[in-house]
Amino acid sequence: MPETNPRWDIFCTVVDNFGDIGVTWRLARQLVAEHSVRVRLWVDDLRAFERLCPEIDTQLAQQWQQGVEVRQWLVEWLPVDAADVVIAAFACQLPASYMDAMAARAQPPLWLNLDYLSAEDWVVGCHGLPSVKYRHVQKYFFFPGFRQDTGGLLRERGLLERRRKFQQDASAQREFLQGLGVDRAPGSQLISLFAYENAGLASWFDCLASDSTPSHMLVPEGRILGDVERWLGVEGLAAGDVHVRDGLTVQVLPFVRQDQYDLLLWSCDFNAVRGEDSFVRAQWAGRPLLWHIYRQDEDIHLDKLEAFLTLYTKGLTRPASEAISGLWRAWNTGVTMTDHWLATRKHSPELQQHAEAWCLEQALQDDLAAALVQFYVNWI
């Protein structure tokens, strides 16, 4: 790299609780740990950040966490020098005076819009292209993705090897789960559930409760709890609560930090996840999954869902492909899950093998942090 320690600024506005900060926090840490760059992470909502990193002091305007300089993005912006690389995460609007500082540099910075993850065809054609300019400072599109010629996915060095060792160590899994207060129901399939509100939950839980194979559902605190309460007929669910109805055990977990969430995904037989960061981590877990995509106006999120399913189901037999695709569509449109879940269960062995193969296929690409660094090197 031409400069020993280039400075990077990453700007994040917290739109939906944890997705935006989850991605940028993970990226910032990896850039520091693996690429020896100096990173300032600007965040407008430190309280949401605190859930992912409990060490955060929400009152401090400047602090250091895991090698990253965390700065509070105040409404009243205080002028600072612009960095060598500037990342506007998910098209957030940079402060006007910061953009002036970018233009004032003798060597303009590399300015990137790190966009949302998508499997749509057009992403490949737009990745790396110039976007708008501010004065003489050029902005570029940078798209994470699942194919060659995109920015890839966030994946820390050695992640899959750590996952493999953990999944082969029953005692390590048991110790981790016990640390969360989980005593796995005998003979049960273990499922994690992290999702937005969903009208289809009741039919899924009904199906699990009546199944001859018991299920143990682990639900981290979050937006889906209201639907879980309605199905159970209780109020005020909190971490540590356990309810059993026929073949289904429902247990509420505390909201865990990112490294613990990885271990949770690795411990489960099936993972229901939401948003972007959790979605990617579930793929690295190598287990069958169910994605609750973030809803967008005019249902354009369903196009993104279909684009991913087209990629993901390649290599599956037609019945298995139809089963998992039907499950995802039902979950994301809030319709009855029963038949789709039963079909998915029927094809569990094939879907498990496919999830691992998909994970290894995605790992052949450069990870997102490495791709960003290489883009900077090439740009210079």
Side-chain angles (χ1 to χ4, degrees):
M1 183 172 293
E3 189 173 334
T4 306
N5 288 110
R7 294 181 301 124
W8 293 48
D9 274 342
I10 303 175
F11 287 84
C12 173
T13 54
V14 178
V15 177
D16 177 44
N17 294 326
F18 310 112
D20 304 315
I21 183 59
V23 171
T24 52
W25 173 229
R26 195 184 296 281
L27 172 62
R29 285 182 297 159
Q30 188 179 355
L31 286 169
V32 169
E34 298 182 13
H35 299 282
S36 301
V37 300
R38 294 171 290 165
V39 178
R40 286 187 301 200
L41 176 58
W42 299 88
V43 185
D44 69 342
D45 183 356
L46 292 184
R47 293 199 177 277
F49 194 177
E50 186 183 22
R51 298 296 300 276
L52 296 177
C53 180
E55 295 84 4
I56 282 287
D57 186 334
T58 59
Q59 302 305 310
L60 289 181
Q62 178 183 23
Q63 57 195 294
W64 292 84
Q65 297 292 342
Q66 299 184 43
V68 176
E69 183 182 356
V70 177
R71 300 290 292 267
Q72 192 165 12
W73 184 349
L74 300 170
V75 175
E76 296 296 327
W77 180 261
L78 300 177
V80 296
D81 291 338
D84 302 299
V85 182
V86 179
I87 295 179
F90 312 120
C92 66
Q93 181 61 49
L94 302 182
S97 62
Y98 186 88
M99 295 175 69
D100 289 336
M102 290 197 301
R105 283 179 50 120
Q107 169 64 43
L110 172 60
W111 181 19
L112 298 170
N113 175 47
L114 179 62
D115 219 309
Y116 289 102
L117 176 64
S118 178
E120 293 170 291
D121 290 337
W122 61 266
V123 166
V124 174
C126 292
H127 174 65
L129 292 183
S131 177
V132 300
K133 272 188 176 182
Y134 180 73
R135 299 184 187 174
H136 58 282
V137 184
Q138 178 70 62
K139 181 162 70 170
Y140 296 87
F141 292 113
F142 202 94
F143 285 92
F146 305 97
R147 306 189 229 196
Q148 297 294 331
D149 300 321
T150 68
L153 306 173
L154 278 171
R155 184 184 76 254
E156 299 83 7
R157 192 175 295 152
L159 177 69
L160 298 193
E161 179 61 17
R162 292 195 300 276
R163 189 261 289 179
R164 184 188 64 80
K165 289 181 178 178
F166 182 81
Q167 289 182 334
Q168 292 178 350
D169 189 340
S171 63
Q173 295 176 54
R174 187 165 52 251
E175 181 180 352
F176 165 71
L177 291 170
Q178 287 174 346
L180 294 177
V182 176
D183 184 13
R184 184 170 185 165
S188 66
Q189 59 176 339
L190 202 60
I191 303 174
S192 75
L193 172 60
F194 184 52
Y196 307 111
E197 299 85 350
N198 197 308
L201 179 132
S203 64
W204 187 22
F205 275 25
D206 284 342
C207 187
L208 291 169
S210 62
D211 198 333
S212 58
T213 300
S215 297
H216 194 145
M217 181 73 67
L218 304 179
V219 190
E221 292 173 313
R223 289 168 55 174
I224 194 68
L225 278 188
D227 294 311
V228 176
E229 288 175 346
R230 280 184 283 278
W231 185 80
L232 289 170
V234 301
E235 294 183 359
L237 280 178
D241 289 350
V242 181
H243 293 265
V244 180
R245 180 181 293 182
D246 299 325
L248 176 59
T249 299
V250 178
Q251 181 167 356
V252 183
L253 301 183
F255 191 92
V256 296
R257 58 196 308 155
Q258 287 179 324
D259 54 352
Q260 287 184 304
Y261 188 63
D262 279 332
L263 297 180
L264 176 63
L265 295 171
W266 299 352
S267 299
C268 290
D269 303 300
F270 187 91
N271 293 300
V273 294
R274 75 179 214 196
E276 180 169 323
D277 187 55
S278 305
F279 178 44
V280 172
R281 304 315 282 192
Q283 291 172 66
W284 297 137
R287 296 284 165 80
L289 71 149
L290 173 60
W291 183 28
H292 199 178
I293 190 171
Y294 186 74
R295 187 169 186 175
Q296 295 178 281
D297 293 339
E298 300 180 3
D299 288 340
I300 61 174
H301 60 291
L302 297 180
D303 294 334
K304 295 181 179 180
L305 186 81
E306 291 300 326
F308 180 78
L309 283 172
T310 297
L311 285 183
Y312 184 73
T313 57
K314 286 181 180 177
L316 284 171
T317 62
R318 183 173 178 178
S321 174
E322 291 176 347
I324 194 68
S325 297
L327 185 74
W328 284 37
R329 291 173 185 134
W331 186 236
N332 281 282
T333 53
V335 302
T336 300
M337 300 275 287
T338 306
D339 291 343
H340 303 292
W341 177 250
L342 293 175
T344 299
R345 289 275 293 133
K346 180 180 178 181
H347 297 285
S348 279
E350 182 181 351
L351 291 170
Q352 169 57 64
Q353 185 178 26
H354 180 73
E356 178 67 21
W358 170 264
C359 171
L360 296 177
E361 177 186 336
Q362 290 301 308
L364 295 175
Q365 293 192 73
D366 285 339
D367 66 87
L368 179 61
L372 282 163
V373 170
Q374 189 59 51
F375 192 89
Y376 171 57
V377 171
N378 295 343
W379 175 79
I380 290 176

